[in-house]
Amino acid sequence: MVLMNKMILLGLTAFLSLCYQHGWAQSRLPEQAWVDSVYSRLSPRERIGQLFMVAAYSGGDNYNKTDIEQLIRAHQIGGVIFMQGTAEKQAVLTNEYQKMAQVPLLIGMDGEYGLGMRLTGVRNYPYQMLLGATRDTQLVRKMGAQVAAQCKRLGVHIDFAPDVDVNNNPKNPVINFRSFGQDKYWVARLGIAYMKGLQDNGVMACAKHFPGHGDVAVDSHKDLPVVDKSIEEIKEVELYPFREMIAAGVKSVMVAHLDVPAMDNTPHLPTTLSKKVVSGWLKDSLGFKGLIFTDALNMKGVTKYYPDGETDLKAFLAGNDVLLFSQDVPLAIKKIQAAIDAGLATEADLEQRVRKILRAKYEAGLNDSQPVDTENVTAELNARTDDFWAEAAAKAVTLVKDEQGLINALNRPGAKIASLQISVNDGPTDLEDYLEQRYRGVTKIHTAIGIGHYDAVVVGIHHLNRYPGSTGSYGLTAKQIALIKALAKKKNVCFVVFGNAYLMKYLCGAATVIMAYEDNKFTETAAMEALKGKLPASGTLPVLSCK
């Protein structure tokens, strides 16, 4: 027995020595001590408060500083998700909120295309649809790193990105351009690249919206979408990017408000509130050990069937760690405490979630955080967007087809060229100006009549809405769509689309199409270079509308 004990002691000593050699013990022990210290000084109600991340506005009609201060002081909420406002004001509020919090706050933002997604004056990075066209993991990783730098500058610890939904429904009213596309392999590869760009630079990434929000025709902000697929189909397509992201080390996942009968057939039960989905599928089947966020608990996809407070309780019982965008924190705390008192949940359940949140705070550096510099924030957040945009636009622009060799025809000396610009909003465009400068005598036209007189007609489609809308037209009128369809039958017409790639559904029969994906000076420049024949336009359509 003495010999056995000695062998065990020697083995333990060797193990600890190995831990110290590799730096594990040094980094792990302070974290554990900090988590233990914070957890032990919180009351039971304050521990429940750590589960909540509420919406904070630094400007606009929803400005809610007084409400946030009350929630921090009275209920020890765990964090805030900043929404609309300005960067400078958010920096000021972040410092004020952190100063009054007994436990440092975890700060999150929706920054799928950078913090400009939420902040006035901050420029956007490209949408994920454009990035999907590049099929360039290094480029996407670079953007992740730059968005991480924005987050660090503004005291943000979690970027609720990337979106790894496989958008395989062209009518999707809520994901659509926010997805990398409909190819599950590229959605996963680019999602991992974005995640690494964030997490390698100290910002937590979040894979969303589990178990997959890409094949819906209803906006979960307005109602509960139904994903009526077999479990085999869901496992094959929707879950694929999440499995890959988890294997690659993503630190958090957001659960969507969806009705997926194949995963849980309880009527009108959103996946967010389903224990079968959150604990069964995400935790047990996929083996995810990181932080689990609900989608916003104010969305109609969940509130239509469950009242405030009850929603939070069910989300907690389902296995979520962080209750995002709660509408009634005091009521929710009471309900969760009552559930623990009644034995519907245990103190151990709560402790496991709170400790996980506290570990995330330690990893974010909140054990020793510094105030945010409040000067020149917007300028610094915008510092690198232009250079990135120029590179991304050039890599994304796509020559979908050129059956008649119109690109060459455009650049032949003496070519007779016409320009026709179709726009949701009236006004001149960079493309129109470019054509006038490059081709002397270019003729502006407005109808399909008489276009056979020209060697090539360049048709630009501009200022499209981001989403299809109820008519599926992206803001175009019936008259404009009729004109586009008529022009698509002409073999000397070159379309240049500055918007959603799903607009290809109107151009399936066209001879020449260039897709630029977004409408700004960088995509216009990339399209112009493609028309000159000086840019290969080697992007790939990330979604398909034509069979």
Side-chain angles (χ1 to χ4, degrees):
M1 180 64 72
V2 173
L3 179 61
M4 183 179 292
N5 288 340
K6 184 177 288 188
M7 290 175 66
I8 291 172
L9 182 59
L10 288 171
L12 180 59
T13 302
F15 173 72
L16 290 173
S17 176
L18 186 65
C19 290
Y20 276 96
Q21 287 175 28
H22 289 276
W24 184 84
Q26 293 99 315
S27 61
R28 182 66 178 166
L29 292 178
E31 174 188 301
Q32 191 63 49
W34 187 83
V35 170
D36 290 343
S37 173
V38 174
Y39 186 82
S40 64
R41 69 173 185 257
L42 293 173
S43 70
R45 291 290 178 106
E46 290 172 340
R47 289 169 184 170
I48 297 173
Q50 286 294 299
L51 303 174
F52 295 90
M53 180 176 275
V54 300
Y57 296 81
S58 61
D61 295 339
N62 294 317
Y63 181 69
N64 60 347
K65 181 183 178 185
T66 302
D67 294 336
I68 299 300
E69 290 176 341
Q70 173 66 14
L71 289 171
I72 293 171
R73 290 194 175 103
H75 301 290
Q76 291 299 308
I77 56 171
V80 298
I81 172 173
F82 271 106
M83 304 297 287
Q84 286 76 23
T86 67
E88 277 73 17
K89 185 61 175 178
Q90 182 173 317
V92 170
L93 289 177
T94 295
N95 290 340
E96 292 181 6
Y97 294 157
Q98 292 289 25
K99 188 175 181 179
M100 70 178 62
Q102 291 183 35
V103 180
L105 299 166
L106 207 55
I107 308 294
M109 284 192 76
D110 259 330
E112 295 168 24
Y113 38 95
L115 301 193
M117 183 171 171
R118 295 298 179 192
L119 296 173
T120 301
V122 179
R123 292 195 287 273
N124 290 340
Y125 278 87
Y127 299 146
Q128 288 188 192
M129 180 177 279
L130 182 147
L131 296 172
T134 70
R135 295 200 167 177
D136 188 329
T137 55
Q138 291 304 309
L139 178 76
V140 175
R141 190 166 183 167
K142 179 192 289 188
M143 186 178 119
Q146 292 188 14
V147 174
Q150 288 188 321
C151 291
K152 299 284 276 190
R153 175 64 183 85
L154 199 50
V156 174
H157 313 113
I158 303 165
D159 182 13
F160 291 111
D163 187 312
V164 292
D165 298 309
V166 181
N167 200 92
N168 41 24
N169 188 335
K171 297 180 181 179
N172 196 315
V174 63
I175 305 301
N176 210 291
F177 67 91
R178 296 165 60 193
S179 167
F180 289 116
Q182 68 182 50
D183 184 317
K184 66 178 184 180
Y185 300 108
W186 277 107
V187 169
R189 288 171 192 158
L190 297 173
I192 289 169
Y194 195 161
M195 176 265 289
K196 288 183 176 178
L198 289 170
Q199 293 188 174
D200 288 353
N201 291 279
V203 173
M204 181 183 288
C206 183
K208 63 186 188 184
H209 307 80
F210 185 84
H213 212 307
D215 195 4
V216 302
V218 172
D219 184 349
S220 53
H221 292 86
K222 300 176 181 178
D223 206 339
L224 182 61
V226 178
V227 179
D228 193 14
K229 288 185 167 184
S230 70
I231 196 62
E232 290 76 19
E233 291 174 306
I234 292 168
K235 288 164 69 175
E236 176 70 19
V237 179
E238 275 74 15
L239 293 186
Y240 178 82
F242 291 98
R243 286 198 301 269
E244 295 296 299
M245 293 285 286
I246 291 168
V250 71
K251 292 184 177 181
S252 71
V253 168
M254 179 182 286
V255 183
H257 306 312
L258 300 168
D259 184 350
V260 188
M263 301 181 86
D264 188 334
N265 60 7
T266 306
H268 307 308
L269 182 67
T271 42
T272 340
L273 311 187
S274 167
K275 189 169 185 177
K276 290 181 180 179
V277 173
V278 180
S279 294
W281 279 99
L282 182 54
K283 290 184 178 180
D284 297 338
S285 296
L286 272 64
F288 183 61
K289 306 299 182 187
L291 212 55
I292 301 175
F293 291 84
T294 68
D295 205 344
L297 292 175
N298 70 326
M299 293 164 62
K300 296 296 184 183
V302 65
T303 62
K304 182 176 181 178
Y305 298 103
Y306 299 93
D308 293 343
E310 190 69 20
T311 299
D312 304 80
L313 171 60
K314 285 187 173 295
F316 174 74
L317 295 175
N320 296 282
D321 300 310
V322 181
L323 310 177
L324 191 67
F325 231 111
S326 175
Q327 293 302 282
D328 194 332
V329 172
L331 177 60
I333 290 175
K334 289 179 182 178
K335 285 183 173 290
I336 292 173
Q337 183 63 64
I340 293 172
D341 293 342
L344 298 176
T346 67
E347 291 287 353
D349 292 331
L350 176 64
E351 180 174 354
Q352 188 269 340
R353 314 277 178 85
V354 176
R355 284 183 176 276
K356 192 191 291 188
I357 292 166
L358 293 177
R359 284 195 295 272
K361 292 186 176 188
Y362 185 90
E363 289 182 11
L366 282 169
N367 60 307
D368 186 27
S369 61
Q370 301 300 315
V372 178
D373 181 357
T374 59
E375 298 296 324
N376 301 315
V377 188
T378 297
E380 291 179 30
L381 294 180
N382 287 334
R384 293 193 283 178
T385 51
D386 283 6
D387 289 343
F388 184 87
W389 256 112
E391 181 181 3
K395 289 183 175 180
V397 66
T398 304
L399 181 58
V400 181
K401 50 184 173 177
D402 187 16
E403 296 171 357
Q404 304 297 316
L406 278 183
I407 303 299
N408 288 333
L410 276 167
N411 294 288
R412 291 187 191 123
K416 192 176 181 182
I417 310 298
S419 166
L420 193 159
Q421 306 303 310
I422 299 170
S423 177
V424 170
N425 301 315
D426 293 333
T429 67
D430 289 346
L431 179 62
E432 187 174 42
D433 294 341
Y434 158 74
L435 292 171
E436 290 180 352
Q437 293 168 14
R438 180 167 175 78
Y439 306 106
R440 291 184 179 180
V442 64
T443 304
K444 291 184 183 180
I445 60 175
H446 303 283
T447 72
I449 299 171
I451 67 169
H453 298 302
Y454 302 96
D455 297 306
V457 179
V458 179
V459 177
I461 303 179
H462 304 269
H463 305 142
L464 296 163
N465 294 343
R466 295 182 300 173
Y467 289 110
S470 58
T471 63
S473 65
Y474 295 91
L476 294 168
T477 66
K479 184 177 180 180
Q480 288 173 321
I481 291 170
L483 175 59
I484 289 169
K485 289 180 177 179
L487 291 166
K489 297 176 182 178
K490 310 298 182 180
K491 298 305 179 185
N492 63 335
V493 171
C494 172
F495 287 94
V496 188
V497 182
F498 296 96
N500 197 298
Y502 281 121
L503 201 78
M504 272 300 302
K505 65 184 179 181
Y506 298 124
L507 305 175
C508 296
T512 305
V513 180
I514 292 174
M515 186 67 63
Y517 303 100
E518 297 192 46
D519 202 340
N520 57 46
K521 64 182 180 181
F522 303 103
T523 56
E524 294 258 6
T525 297
M528 293 171 197
E529 292 298 300
L531 287 172
K532 291 178 187 177
K534 293 184 177 181
L535 190 67
S538 57
T540 301
L541 274 179
V543 297
L544 300 176
S545 298
C546 304
K547 296 181 179 178

